[in-house]
Amino acid sequence: MQGKTRIENLQESNIEDLVYVCSSKRLTDQVHQQGVKLKKQWLLEMQEKYGPCGKIAYYNKQPAAQILYYPEEADPIKAFKRENVLIINCTYNPTSEAQKLGVGTGLLQSVIKDAKQRKTCLGNRPCKFILAKAFNTGESLPLPEFYKKNGFLPTPEGNLLHLPIEGSYEPVTPVGEYEPLPEDKNKAVIFYGPICQFSYQFAKRIEGIIKEVAPSIKAEMINEWEKPKESLRRRNWWLVVNAKPIQTFFMQTEKFKQEVQQAARENF
């Protein structure tokens, strides 16, 4: 990494730096800053209970990239938790001058090394395996390809990849399909969480679209970490409109609007 990069464990004194990596272009966006506030509180709570749950890469002394992770057993919306499993929520390097220098790989390999040495937020317990959420940010190398290049293997769990550390992959019991709830009739239930500062912002955008295309539908936003039972009752589905789970991601704007309108018109 050409000697210009250093990696630090997340601690209370550098939480702002980790948040800055993702939010430097949105410092004046008030809705986004509400998501930042939620994330900072979550990071402080995780730090107090489990220890460091992230790392920051500094390039030329400036925060350039980050990796965020936590114990699966800490997730309140998981119906079936596996012990001694580490979840990598994201690895992100948006800094153009620090890209293609191995910065992201350095962050990931640092976490893997800690897991092998039993120095992660799992405490001194053995890490059976690491799970990585392998979504595509649309920037630089797609995360699925990035994790596979670092030895991660497929799982049956959708966009999750895994890396064995001191154990082998353990399948999780499926939560099942969403079943219509009477209280979801004529209502939109939008879930967001504190792990990513974009989650609240996205939920507000979804709320706005629903108000635009289905004004008769009442929208309710729920923090799934504060009210995990509400998420579990809906099988962890991110958006339910008129007791119908929405399949289309909201950034596919026209298709999303059509699906919301169709759900709003259907009878229970």
Side-chain angles (χ1 to χ4, degrees), residues 33-257:
Q33 288 306 310
Q34 179 60 32
V36 167
K37 181 180 178 181
L38 292 170
K39 180 169 182 173
K40 287 180 182 178
Q41 184 60 40
W42 179 82
L43 289 170
L44 288 169
E45 291 172 358
M46 294 293 289
Q47 180 84 17
E48 181 177 358
K49 188 169 183 178
Y50 298 101
C53 58
K55 292 176 183 283
I56 307 159
Y58 293 84
Y59 182 74
N60 289 338
K61 300 183 180 181
Q62 297 299 315
Q66 60 92 27
I67 188 168
L68 189 66
Y69 48 89
Y70 56 91
E72 182 175 74
E73 59 203 78
D75 190 341
I77 70 168
K78 278 278 188 179
F80 306 100
K81 300 178 178 66
R82 293 161 291 194
E83 293 184 347
N84 302 334
V85 172
L86 196 67
I87 305 287
I88 295 180
N89 190 70
C90 62
T91 307
Y92 189 46
N93 177 8
T95 309
S96 58
E97 59 267 30
Q99 292 173 351
K100 298 182 179 180
L101 298 177
V103 174
T105 298
L107 284 167
L108 180 59
Q109 289 299 325
S110 180
V111 174
I112 294 170
K113 180 180 178 181
D114 285 354
K116 290 178 177 178
Q117 295 180 348
R118 302 188 182 185
K119 293 181 179 179
T120 67
C121 51
L122 295 173
N124 60 3
R125 293 177 293 158
C127 175
K128 293 178 183 175
F129 56 92
I130 300 173
L131 279 177
K133 296 183 179 180
F135 54 90
N136 186 4
T137 64
E139 302 177 60
S140 193
L141 185 67
L143 283 177
E145 187 177 342
F146 168 73
Y147 289 123
K148 287 176 183 176
K149 286 182 67 174
N150 281 277
F152 280 70
L153 304 169
T155 76
E157 298 178 61
N159 66 345
L160 292 176
L161 298 173
H162 82 285
L163 181 71
I165 301 295
E166 294 191 48
S168 56
Y169 175 77
E170 299 172 1
V172 67
T173 304
V175 297
E177 299 294 328
Y178 167 83
E179 297 180 2
L181 300 174
E183 61 265 41
D184 288 348
K185 176 67 173 172
N186 295 320
K187 180 180 179 181
V189 185
I190 309 163
F191 288 98
Y192 65 94
I195 302 176
C196 175
Q197 56 260 54
F198 286 91
S199 182
Y200 180 83
Q201 181 179 359
F202 288 172
K204 290 297 290 183
R205 286 175 63 183
I206 291 167
E207 180 187 43
I209 293 172
I210 291 171
K211 287 180 178 179
E212 174 193 341
V213 302
S216 63
I217 294 289
K218 178 183 177 182
E220 179 183 5
M221 290 175 46
I222 296 178
N223 183 331
E224 59 190 4
W225 276 62
E226 290 183 350
K227 297 182 179 180
K229 289 182 179 179
E230 295 301 319
S231 178
L232 290 166
R233 291 175 67 227
R234 295 170 177 86
R235 303 296 190 267
N236 301 136
W237 206 261
W238 62 287
L239 173 61
V240 175
V241 175
N242 196 24
K244 305 288 182 181
I246 300 300
Q247 307 288 334
T248 306
F249 189 49
F250 79 97
M251 286 188 179
Q252 296 176 267
T253 309
E254 293 308 314
K255 187 178 178 182
F256 176 74
K257 288 180 178 181

Side-chain angles (χ1 to χ4, degrees), residues 242 244 256-267:
N242 196 24
K244 305 288 182 181
F256 176 74
K257 288 180 178 181
Q258 291 172 7
E259 187 177 354
V260 168
Q261 287 175 322
Q262 179 64 32
R265 287 195 296 262
E266 289 186 11
N267 294 322

